[in-house]
Amino acid sequence: MPIVNIQITREGSGPGRDAATAEEKAALIRGVSQLLLDVLGKPLDSTFVVIEEVPLENWGWYGMPVPELRRRRAEET
Amino acid sequence: MPIVNIQITREGSGPGRDAATAEEKAALIRGVSQLLLDVLGKPLDSTFVVIEEVPLENWGWYGMPVPELRRRRAEET
Amino acid sequence: MPIVNIQITREGSGPGRDAATAEEKAALIRGVSQLLLDVLGKPLDSTFVVIEEVPLENWGWYGMPVPELRRRRAEET
Amino acid sequence: MPIVNIQITREGSGPGRDAATAEEKAALIRGVSQLLLDVLGKPLDSTFVVIEEVPLENWGWYGMPVPELRRRRAEET
Amino acid sequence: MPIVNIQITREGSGPGRDAATAEEKAALIRGVSQLLLDVLGKPLDSTFVVIEEVPLENWGWYGMPVPELRRRRAEET
Amino acid sequence: MPIVNIQITREGSGPGRDAATAEEKAALIRGVSQLLLDVLGKPLDSTFVVIEEVPLENWGWYGMPVPELRRRRAEET
């Protein structure tokens, strides 16, 4: 009876989108549930998956919020 | 000093509601804090409760998002 | 389909015990599952409960680990 | 490779604000990442920080939601 | 920059084992990281995975700890 | 009333140690509680900190468990 919590930044995976689509979320849920069945033999009805979408300014890496990190990287290149 | 995290789907418990009401949330907080006092002797001032409401399409069970799971179950009956 | 995560310090609730007993854990699981049924109408088979026991020195309150907090409080009285 | 999850109530730290500002969030991210470098030698590029803002009525302490707790405390004084 | 937290019961997936093996954990990590690359385009170096193994008596489903749930199911069949 | 959850790998920060020391944990708790006071004005008595130590083979980055990641990096240099 696994619980999988997936935290991602709230943003689109392509132009014109500002969040993961329902199809992308369904693919994550299907894929990770299948993985737990394949690797550990956990039946699909015993796996819960929760996706949490985190605003970009609430996510930190390299000691700074992601928007600032991306701005710096863009300037460097 | 317990911490209780309650994740629920964001939906109403009855017609005309689309989320848990403030009264329902208060009942969850009161009930679980009392439970920790009764079972483990934890005083009420040392228990934190956080309720997270998760959009339906972000919650997976049986390898699929909850809206799809409910649609299939409705079709079966 | 709620998920409830309960974090408690790893310690006994009485003399001669150094952790919550299996009976206490069962009472927490039963109580919180029943609470979600009573308040939000969630059936028992759709609620997952996970209890995490945290070593005392890994838990902080008032800016210090719990063992130090208790030592200070004991000295004050 | 630490992961730091910071849960705070969604509210302003001063008049006219109803949430933590981007500057406050950046200060939390910077401060906690630096702390992990100072104390455990974890490089900044290996620390993830996620800030979760929780609505006041979803946060419980003393067996009640925070808005009710504050109302009672205000009445007592 | 996803974070994936996988909670599973601490038990073996076959006879003579009492926990997930290192190979099974590696397969979970590899599979879920690849999934986030495939579905959302997240590079492998930006995904953190944490596996938490929960003792059976700390996991509740159907309002009871998992060992009791399994005992009842075995008796029914 | 913040809750801070810090997940770190279970390993020593120097030779002859195989886990964070009690002093290092106390420094993390003190530092992060002070940070929340400085940045958001949260009083020390309203901040809970929980440190979780994760076995190395349960932590994944770059699509593989940390021990394998380090072995590869050591071979490359």
Side-chain angles (χ1 to χ4, degrees):
Chain A
M1 53 245 83
I3 298 170
V4 182
N5 186 278
I6 301 176
Q7 290 181 305
I8 53 174
T9 43
R10 183 178 290 129
E11 60 185 318
S13 58
R17 276 174 281 168
D18 62 0
T21 65
E23 286 71 27
E24 289 167 338
K25 292 176 189 174
L28 289 177
I29 289 168
R30 189 171 50 241
V32 78
S33 301
Q34 185 65 40
L35 182 69
L36 282 153
L37 174 57
D38 293 343
V39 175
L40 294 179
K42 303 288 184 187
L44 292 180
D45 72 324
S46 74
T47 295
F48 275 11
V49 184
V50 171
I51 299 170
E52 288 183 54
E53 299 174 270
V54 179
L56 281 170
E57 71 175 26
N58 287 26
W59 196 296
W61 198 15
Y62 286 84
M64 67 190 83
V66 167
E68 186 182 336
L69 175 62
R70 292 188 177 161
R71 204 158 42 231
R72 292 196 185 191
R73 286 186 168 177
E75 286 169 9
E76 281 169 12
T77 57
Chain B
M1 293 114 295
I3 299 170
V4 183
N5 185 277
I6 301 176
Q7 289 181 305
I8 52 174
T9 42
R10 183 178 290 130
E11 60 186 318
S13 58
R17 277 174 281 168
D18 62 358
T21 65
E23 287 69 30
E24 289 167 336
K25 292 176 189 176
L28 288 178
I29 290 168
R30 185 170 53 243
V32 78
S33 301
Q34 186 65 38
L35 182 69
L36 282 152
L37 174 57
D38 293 344
V39 175
L40 294 179
K42 303 289 182 186
L44 293 180
D45 72 324
S46 74
T47 294
F48 276 9
V49 184
V50 171
I51 300 170
E52 288 183 53
E53 298 172 273
V54 178
L56 280 171
E57 70 174 27
N58 288 24
W59 195 297
W61 198 15
Y62 287 82
M64 66 190 86
V66 167
E68 187 183 336
L69 176 62
R70 292 188 178 161
R71 205 158 42 230
R72 292 195 184 191
R73 286 186 168 175
E75 287 168 7
E76 282 168 12
T77 58
Chain C
M1 282 120 297
I3 298 170
V4 183
N5 185 277
I6 302 177
Q7 290 180 303
I8 54 174
T9 43
R10 183 179 290 131
E11 61 185 317
S13 59
R17 274 175 284 168
D18 62 0
T21 65
E23 286 70 29
E24 290 168 338
K25 292 176 190 175
L28 289 178
I29 289 168
R30 188 172 49 243
V32 77
S33 302
Q34 185 65 41
L35 182 69
L36 282 153
L37 174 58
D38 293 344
V39 175
L40 293 179
K42 302 288 183 187
L44 293 180
D45 72 325
S46 74
T47 295
F48 276 10
V49 184
V50 171
I51 300 171
E52 288 182 54
E53 299 175 88
V54 179
L56 280 171
E57 71 176 25
N58 288 25
W59 196 295
W61 197 15
Y62 286 85
M64 66 191 86
V66 166
E68 187 182 336
L69 176 63
R70 291 189 178 162
R71 206 158 42 232
R72 293 196 184 190
R73 287 185 169 177
E75 287 168 8
E76 281 169 13
T77 57
Chain D
M1 278 127 292
I3 298 170
V4 183
N5 185 278
I6 302 176
Q7 289 181 305
I8 53 174
T9 43
R10 183 177 290 129
E11 60 185 318
S13 59
R17 275 174 283 169
D18 62 1
T21 65
E23 287 71 28
E24 289 167 339
K25 292 176 189 174
L28 289 178
I29 290 168
R30 188 170 50 241
V32 79
S33 302
Q34 185 65 40
L35 182 69
L36 281 154
L37 174 58
D38 292 345
V39 175
L40 293 179
K42 302 289 182 186
L44 294 179
D45 72 325
S46 73
T47 295
F48 276 10
V49 184
V50 171
I51 300 170
E52 287 183 55
E53 299 174 88
V54 179
L56 280 170
E57 72 175 23
N58 288 26
W59 196 296
W61 198 15
Y62 287 84
M64 65 191 85
V66 167
E68 186 182 337
L69 176 62
R70 291 189 179 160
R71 204 156 46 230
R72 291 195 186 191
R73 287 186 168 174
E75 286 168 10
E76 282 169 11
T77 57
Chain E
M1 279 131 291
I3 298 170
V4 183
N5 186 277
I6 301 176
Q7 289 180 304
I8 52 174
T9 43
R10 183 179 289 130
E11 61 185 319
S13 58
R17 277 174 281 168
D18 61 0
T21 65
E23 287 70 31
E24 289 167 338
K25 292 176 189 174
L28 289 177
I29 290 168
R30 188 172 48 243
V32 78
S33 301
Q34 185 66 39
L35 182 69
L36 282 153
L37 174 57
D38 292 345
V39 176
L40 293 179
K42 303 288 184 186
L44 293 180
D45 72 323
S46 74
T47 294
F48 275 10
V49 184
V50 171
I51 300 170
E52 289 184 53
E53 298 173 271
V54 179
L56 280 170
E57 71 176 26
N58 288 25
W59 195 295
W61 198 16
Y62 285 84
M64 66 190 84
V66 167
E68 187 182 337
L69 175 62
R70 291 188 179 163
R71 205 158 41 231
R72 293 195 183 191
R73 286 185 168 178
E75 287 167 9
E76 281 168 13
T77 57
Chain F
M1 50 245 84
I3 298 171
V4 183
N5 185 278
I6 302 177
Q7 290 180 304
I8 53 174
T9 43
R10 184 178 290 130
E11 61 185 316
S13 59
R17 275 174 283 169
D18 62 0
T21 66
E23 287 71 29
E24 289 168 338
K25 292 176 189 174
L28 289 178
I29 290 168
R30 186 170 52 243
V32 77
S33 301
Q34 185 66 38
L35 182 70
L36 281 153
L37 174 57
D38 293 344
V39 175
L40 293 179
K42 302 289 182 185
L44 293 180
D45 73 323
S46 75
T47 295
F48 276 11
V49 185
V50 171
I51 300 171
E52 288 183 54
E53 299 173 271
V54 179
L56 280 171
E57 71 175 26
N58 288 25
W59 195 297
W61 197 15
Y62 287 84
M64 66 190 87
V66 167
E68 187 182 336
L69 175 63
R70 291 189 179 161
R71 206 159 40 232
R72 292 196 184 190
R73 285 186 169 175
E75 287 168 8
E76 281 169 11
T77 57

